[in-house]
Amino acid sequence: MADDDTSRMETVMRKQRAAHHQMRPEPMALRKDRIERAIRLLKEHGEDLCKVMSADFGSRSPHQSMITDIAGTVNFGKYCLKNMDKWARAEKRHVQFPLGLLGAKAELRYEPKGVIGILSPWNFPVNLSFGPLMQVFAAGNRAMIKPSEFTEKTSLLTRELIEEYFTEDECAVFTGGPEVAHAFSMLPFDHLVFTGSTATGRKVMEAAAKNLVPVTLELGGKSPVFMGESADFIKAGERIALGKMMNAGQICLAPDYLYVPESRQDDAIHGVWQGTANMYPTLLENEDYASVVTDRHFDRLQDIVADARSKGAEVIEVNPGNEDFSSTNARKMPLTILKNVTDDMKAMQEEIFGPILPVKTYSRIDEAIDYVNEHDRPLGLYYFGQDTGEREKVLTKTISGGVTVNDVIFHVSMDDLPFGGVGPSGMGSYHGVEGFREFSHARSVYTQPKIDVAKLGGFKPPYGPATEKAIKTMMK
């Protein structure tokens, strides 16, 4: 990486920070104007962005991109516009008796942090850049974005469009490879948002720690699906197939493995198979089905399947059109279900991030609960079934970033629910009021009344009867 890349990033950061200090306090109208411009950018150039996303992937449905990356993000921007006045209000807080009677006041103000960095990934390159940006702007901050090098055309177009709709001291985009990303994560931001793998998240946090930069890490992990005896296996199978096949499984919240009752394993697999066949009767020339993003990622997925097969797993390819995948270089991969998986297989050791679905069985739901609790806390957790007691048992005895009941992934699409992980699946969250607060500094303001409170409370030397009285009152 050229030194001038780092130098430019540092220059832009100084420019943004100077503008932030000079303009404080910025009116809410200006924050809203930035969000409105971001929405306008997406509306006016949504089709262009969908085209370059498809080019970057090799094949990706423009309809899917329009829903997940463009329309969903526009909708989230509108949600922020609707709620930000309420989010930004100062909160009155309680003061101890009798200070309130004497005129003391306490309040909490949500103030902009300053310059916020956004390190966004390749799997939903527009959504995961512009989604956080909406709340970064809502909270009154400026933003610097480093999108993924794997979706190079999308990153370049994003940079061009941001330059057209925003001044450099409001928002700027920096493109380039891992070296640029590393230098970006070393900058002394006021907050840094990273979406990506757990392994890279550790490196980002380590780099940010050198400047004590607070981080929001949206990572991944192995999000389990619990299928109860009371589940509708046909309906559940189709919903699992939708979540696993969208974007060819390249979703941080994709269902990573199924945990099903021993007696219903074939029903569960058939439900997923049939659901896949209904939505994707063919795959190779089907524009609705995405390619795996790079050759390296494709080879990694093939290796996971080969490893499972060599260690005794039964491999079931869901190939409704009986197509020949060996004679194509389109990086299209059929959904591959793995039966009889064991913990020594790669499929059960790392996040899959592709169209591979291991299936495990339990005789009692407690086995599945114990298994999940013995492993890293997942980003998402899914339960299918009508047994409310069993559902609550699963939810109260496990920990995950979020949960969808009787479907997969959908909790992330609820604008008013915070989205985030826990432990190795991430920290912090955005969406909802929680996202606004994530990118704000909660500043406590206490106003002292005219009376000498320190003397009245026995805090002022020389200590004596008033001090002893205060201690006794507090210790009651």
Side-chain angles (χ1 to χ4, degrees):
M1 184 189 71
D3 288 340
D4 55 353
D5 284 331
T6 305
S7 174
R8 182 173 168 257
M9 287 192 287
E10 289 170 346
T11 301
V12 171
M13 169 170 269
R14 280 195 298 272
K15 188 184 286 188
Q16 289 199 359
R17 187 161 281 139
H20 175 71
H21 290 316
Q22 186 182 351
M23 299 277 290
R24 287 191 71 159
E26 286 186 344
M28 289 297 284
L30 185 49
R31 300 187 192 186
K32 289 176 181 176
D33 175 62
R34 289 179 184 137
I35 294 173
E36 284 161 357
R37 274 184 275 153
I39 289 172
R40 197 164 71 246
L41 180 159
L42 294 173
K43 283 183 172 180
E44 291 173 355
H45 299 278
E47 288 185 10
D48 296 333
L49 286 162
C50 289
K51 280 178 191 164
V52 290
M53 280 187 270
S54 184
D56 279 327
F57 272 75
S59 174
R60 192 187 200 233
S61 163
H63 286 99
Q64 183 218 293
S65 293
M66 205 47 124
I67 292 169
T68 58
D69 281 79
I70 308 301
T73 313
V74 165
N75 223 38
F76 184 60
K78 291 193 283 191
Y79 161 80
C80 292
L81 287 172
K82 184 180 174 183
N83 289 280
M84 55 196 286
D85 285 316
K86 178 175 62 181
W87 294 339
R89 276 187 213 128
E91 292 177 18
K92 278 191 175 180
R93 292 295 178 98
H94 176 73
V95 295
Q96 293 93 313
F97 179 83
L99 293 173
L101 298 175
L102 300 171
K105 290 184 181 131
E107 68 173 8
L108 192 62
R109 297 180 182 181
Y110 292 103
E111 300 186 347
K113 286 189 168 182
V115 180
I116 296 190
I118 300 171
L119 269 166
S120 59
W122 52 264
N123 59 330
F124 293 101
V126 177
N127 179 306
L128 295 171
S129 299
F130 281 82
L133 183 65
M134 298 297 185
Q135 289 200 302
V136 165
F137 282 158
N141 303 289
R142 282 129 203 286
M144 293 169 60
I145 302 171
K146 165 60 183 78
S148 172
E149 68 275 14
F150 289 127
T151 41
E152 186 179 7
K153 293 180 177 70
T154 309
S155 297
L156 290 170
L157 181 56
T158 300
R159 187 178 72 189
E160 284 174 30
L161 294 173
I162 288 287
E163 285 172 359
E164 183 183 332
Y165 284 76
F166 296 94
T167 59
E168 195 175 60
D169 63 7
E170 290 178 305
C171 186
V173 175
F174 303 88
T175 56
E179 303 86 2
V180 176
H182 178 68
F184 188 88
S185 64
M186 296 281 289
L187 294 170
F189 291 109
D190 297 298
H191 195 102
L192 179 61
V193 188
F194 167 78
T195 307
S197 71
T198 302
T200 309
R202 287 193 174 96
K203 292 177 185 170
V204 169
M205 190 172 181
E206 187 180 349
K210 290 182 170 62
N211 290 306
L212 295 178
V213 173
V215 292
T216 301
L217 301 179
E218 300 293 357
L219 309 177
K222 300 186 74 62
S223 297
V225 179
F226 288 78
M227 296 186 78
E229 288 275 4
S230 61
D232 179 332
F233 283 79
I234 297 298
K235 190 182 284 183
E238 184 162 274
R239 291 178 180 187
I240 291 161
L242 175 62
K244 192 65 177 175
M245 295 293 277
M246 180 184 283
N247 217 37
Q250 299 166 113
I251 305 176
C252 57
L253 278 168
D256 198 276
Y257 62 99
L258 301 192
Y259 231 132
V260 305
E262 277 172 352
S263 60
R264 305 296 301 274
Q265 180 176 211
D266 290 339
D267 293 337
I269 290 170
H270 174 71
V272 174
W273 199 103
Q274 193 60 55
T276 304
N278 291 347
M279 290 182 285
Y280 302 96
T282 63
L283 296 169
L284 279 178
E285 301 299 324
N286 189 340
E287 194 185 51
D288 289 345
Y289 188 55
S291 298
V292 173
V293 70
T294 61
D295 290 339
R296 190 181 75 177
H297 194 46
F298 184 82
D299 292 343
R300 186 186 70 84
L301 292 168
Q302 298 299 316
D303 183 51
I304 288 174
V305 174
D307 172 77
R309 185 182 273 117
S310 72
K311 291 172 181 169
E314 182 184 341
V315 177
I316 302 166
E317 271 196 6
V318 183
N319 183 4
N322 293 316
E323 296 169 283
D324 180 8
F325 285 82
S326 63
S327 61
T328 177
N329 60 359
R331 295 196 302 272
K332 292 273 183 99
M333 181 177 178
L335 176 61
T336 307
I337 297 171
L338 304 177
K339 272 177 84 172
N340 309 320
V341 290
T342 52
D343 283 355
D344 64 334
M345 296 175 184
K346 289 178 183 176
M348 294 310 298
Q349 292 175 346
E350 56 189 69
E351 183 181 5
I352 290 169
F353 223 71
I356 301 170
L357 187 63
V359 181
K360 290 178 71 70
T361 62
Y362 64 83
S363 56
R364 290 168 53 250
I365 196 81
D366 300 78
E367 293 171 37
I369 289 168
D370 290 344
Y371 181 86
V372 170
N373 285 338
E374 284 160 11
H375 292 80
D376 286 348
R377 290 167 179 171
L379 183 62
L381 182 146
Y382 309 116
Y383 173 81
F384 286 87
Q386 303 308 315
D387 183 335
T388 54
E390 183 180 75
R391 180 195 70 205
E392 284 309 302
K393 185 176 193 179
V394 169
L395 296 196
T396 53
K397 287 189 170 289
T398 58
I399 297 173
S400 68
V403 173
T404 295
V405 175
N406 287 324
D407 212 327
V408 297
I409 300 177
F410 266 87
H411 63 279
V412 72
S413 63
M414 300 301 108
D415 293 336
D416 211 35
L417 280 177
F419 167 60
V422 57
S425 59
M427 65 176 65
S429 58
Y430 63 98
H431 297 183
V433 64
E434 289 79 8
F436 176 85
R437 290 176 179 171
E438 186 91 349
F439 304 133
S440 301
H441 169 54
R443 191 181 193 188
S444 302
V445 179
Y446 172 72
T447 304
Q448 192 74 288
K450 290 178 181 175
I451 193 165
D452 190 345
V453 171
K455 184 175 181 181
L456 185 70
F459 304 145
K460 186 186 278 188
Y463 300 125
T467 311
E468 288 172 17
K469 184 182 175 186
I471 290 168
K472 280 179 186 171
T473 302
M474 285 190 270
M475 297 289 280
K476 273 183 186 172

